[in-house]
Amino acid sequence: MINITFPDGSVKQYNDGITSIEIAEQISPRLAKEVYAATVNGEVIDLTRPINSDATLKLHKWDDVEGKHAFWHSSAHLLAEALESLYPGIKFGIGPAIENGFYYDVDPGEGKAITDNELVVIENRMKELAAKNLAFIRREVSKEAAIALFSKKGDQYKVELIGELEDGTISLYTQGSFTDLCRGPHLSSTEPIKAIKLLNVAGAYWRGNEKNRMLTRIYGITYPKQKLLDDYLLFLEEARKRDHRRIGKELELFTFSPRVGMGLPLWMPRGAELRQNLINFMTKVLKKRGYAIVATPHIGDVNLYKTSGHYEKYGKDSFQPMSTPQEGEQFMLKPMNCPHHCEIFNATPHSYRDLPYRMAEFGTVYRYEQSGELHGLTRVRSFTQDDAHHFCRPDQLKEEFKSIIDLVQFIFKAVNLSEFTAQISLRDNENKEKYIGSDENWEKAEKAIIEAAEEKKLETTVVLGEAAFYGPKLDFMVKDAIGRKWQLGTIQVDYNLPERFDLTYNGSDNQKHRPVMIHRAIFGSMERFIAVLIENTSGKFPLWLAPEKAVVLPISEKFNDYALKILDFLNNSDICTLIDDRSEKIGKKI
RNA sequence: GCCGAUGUAGCUCAGUUGGUCAGAGCAGCUGAUUUGUAAUCUGCAGGUCGGGGGUUCGAAUCCCUUCAUCGGCUCCA
């Protein structure tokens, strides 16, 4: 007998070798019908795998991510089976579950393509197969056997994957006539898969590397009930109505013109008013918080960016330098404001007493984005950052960083953007050559961010390899109408530019010291922020923000009160208590 | 940039297999009416069917090319 501990702490005894599904059956037959996977001793496994020792057990129904994932991952295998029967000789890459549904990357063969209108045929085949209630059968094999199996089939992608796995950890799953390399877990059978929709086809590079062959990715979603699928499709339809490109056109906020150039937004009067309202509000808040507003040119000498290191990193992928007619100079459209701000800092001597020096600019920058990356206002080639740089003493770094977290939260609240996630982006220690600066400084910077976020009790996810090339960062992401995440605010710690620009301040010891630099943007860019704001509010703005004639709808009375306070603030009455004003505590007086 | 798709009046869209296929609704303008609040009715105007080239007696409809857009991939200082 073995002891099984349930999530509520209760313990029951079962025969050695019992499976999760059998346990579920004993609890209630209905539960058994609704569970899709189980977490046993912390590992998510198939319901049909025997349990041979004392264990903790959690059964996953549809409501659990683990349940959905088993469901969708199994659906991906079903898709693969359908594809194999319809396209003989098709090769398979990977086919995981994702946040909403699943996909499978396939190679239909040289010169062949799978197009949108074939999806319904594939979908129907999936339905036929699912209706057969075929069991997913797991089997563990040696590496040699696995390679032999997939080599024989000609699945070079699978062979490549197996090559990187450790012998003894390789499992295969078979349903019907289809066998796939897979870690699992899976449903017990295809039976629960009742509603199936293939959503679209897209290209995707094998292993995410653009040097590799491009495979065909088929996205789909499945549900245990048709109603759930109908609801999801309805949601997508509704979401499309909130698309900022659509609302932007309807409300005449902005437009694009091929004659002006792709990715170059044109703000129409009402959009410009909205944008200006945001800028005005932010400017007042920044002044209250001890920022100095500066302005810098739209171009800069190439050597400026060589000094900063940006040229080496991004020069080839930027709008190329322009030359002057006579002097032989080279200038670039500025892709970022930081180097200019460093030179402003350098223009005057600084005492340790005067730090932090907070320098802000609504700076328009120009970045060459590949044509296929452009997307409404969220990804453009010309955009205006609400950029700022804090030059501070090392001992001020953390407090300064925390004050910016406050600011982000305050600003997001002011526009009623309540749902955002915070992501800490660190260096990828495997690929250090992608980054500049010493290990010591990187470690200090990363530590500062992690601690600041912790002390602000900010819920964060940590992602390795997403740092900027000069430093780690904390990003604030907001979802658009259909759930894509966009980075808005960002706070970045940088020890490198101060070195490169030889920035100094005089310490209390009358010696030169190196300041630490924080790069930060709250909106991120006016363009993207407004885009995401539109999609989150369906184009209904708080009173203080709305352009003339736009629909003003306070979302809730609670928010309305807040919005009115902001209006007062903008009208210069003295209600500044709504801002957690840290500048007096830690900043220089203005 | 790569894979797939799309591109018809300001907007949303119809246009079967190439031959009255250049249309409708909304918006706009005109006039009338007034049962008032996204009013009703009359009339008008709006497009060389994204651009260019080709096939054909004839193309919005087929082919090529180019531009732009959409969904992804890659990238995102």
Side-chain angles (χ1 to χ4, degrees), chain A residues 438-501:
Chain A
S438 69
D439 284 352
E440 186 201 346
N441 282 342
W442 270 90
E443 279 153 25
K444 276 196 283 186
E446 293 184 346
K447 186 163 174 277
I449 291 184
I450 292 166
E451 286 181 6
E454 264 172 21
E455 285 169 32
K456 293 311 296 182
K457 297 193 165 52
L458 198 64
E459 253 184 67
T460 57
T461 55
V462 176
V463 183
L464 298 177
E466 292 284 306
F469 74 96
Y470 48 75
K473 54 184 185 159
L474 173 63
D475 291 330
F476 294 85
M477 334 277 283
V478 180
K479 285 185 182 174
D480 68 11
I482 62 172
R484 290 176 291 215
K485 274 187 186 177
W486 295 94
Q487 178 206 309
L488 299 180
T490 180
I491 319 176
Q492 312 173 353
V493 177
D494 181 5
Y495 286 87
N496 290 301
L497 283 191
E499 299 265 351
R500 289 176 169 257
F501 281 89

Side-chain angles (χ1 to χ4, degrees), chain A residues 164-394:
Chain A
E164 292 165 23
L165 295 173
E166 231 172 89
D167 205 359
T169 65
I170 297 168
S171 56
L172 305 177
Y173 279 83
T174 302
Q175 95 273 10
S177 60
F178 179 77
T179 297
D180 203 354
L181 167 74
C182 187
R183 184 187 298 133
H186 281 286
L187 301 176
S188 306
S189 82
T190 56
E191 195 270 335
I193 304 174
K194 301 290 190 199
I196 299 171
K197 180 74 185 174
L198 295 182
L199 296 162
N200 49 45
V201 295
Y205 298 108
W206 169 236
R207 318 211 79 177
N209 187 330
E210 64 181 327
K211 294 193 180 77
N212 289 341
R213 181 175 171 81
M214 180 158 273
L215 305 179
T216 302
R217 176 169 295 179
I218 300 178
Y219 286 93
I221 194 160
T222 52
Y223 287 95
K225 286 181 188 150
Q226 184 64 35
K227 170 87 168 60
L228 291 172
L229 175 60
D230 293 343
D231 287 350
Y232 181 69
L233 295 178
L234 188 66
F235 160 77
L236 286 182
E237 204 176 303
E238 290 298 313
R240 274 189 273 276
K241 291 181 190 162
R242 291 186 289 147
D243 190 313
H244 74 278
R245 293 165 296 194
R246 179 189 176 118
I247 292 175
K249 185 175 263 180
E250 281 169 7
L251 297 185
E252 295 177 9
L253 299 177
F254 59 88
T255 188
F256 289 90
S257 156
R259 252 199 285 265
V260 173
M262 62 166 83
L264 302 173
L266 305 171
W267 287 100
M268 297 163 83
R270 298 172 64 195
E273 188 184 345
L274 172 66
R275 181 177 175 277
Q276 197 59 47
N277 286 345
L278 276 169
I279 290 177
N280 291 346
F281 173 57
M282 180 65 87
T283 303
K284 290 207 172 198
V285 172
L286 292 184
K287 284 185 177 167
K288 185 74 191 153
R289 287 181 152 246
Y291 282 82
I293 307 288
V294 299
T296 65
H298 288 220
I299 62 173
D301 194 297
V302 166
N303 290 312
L304 177 68
Y305 307 106
K306 287 186 176 168
T307 301
S308 70
H310 288 103
Y311 187 83
E312 193 193 341
K313 181 85 179 166
Y314 296 105
K316 283 197 288 294
D317 300 319
S318 298
F319 285 116
Q320 290 306 290
M322 60 192 107
S323 306
T324 54
Q326 288 173 24
E327 281 79 1
E329 305 147 301
Q330 287 207 299
F331 291 92
M332 292 185 75
L333 280 168
K334 80 171 164 184
M336 78 292 301
N337 306 297
C338 343
H340 300 73
H341 289 187
C342 285
E343 286 303 285
I344 291 178
F345 185 85
N346 255 343
T348 52
H350 299 279
S351 157
Y352 70 100
R353 297 178 209 273
D354 297 333
L355 300 184
Y357 185 173
R358 308 187 185 102
M359 192 187 298
E361 170 176 14
F362 292 90
T364 304
V365 298
Y366 304 86
R367 294 180 183 176
Y368 170 76
E369 306 285 4
Q370 298 185 83
S371 55
E373 286 160 354
L374 298 173
H375 182 98
L377 282 184
T378 51
R379 198 75 188 275
V380 287
R381 287 178 167 175
S382 154
F383 57 96
T384 300
Q385 298 176 306
D386 63 321
D387 204 2
H389 296 92
H390 295 219
F391 302 88
C392 62
R393 304 192 306 261

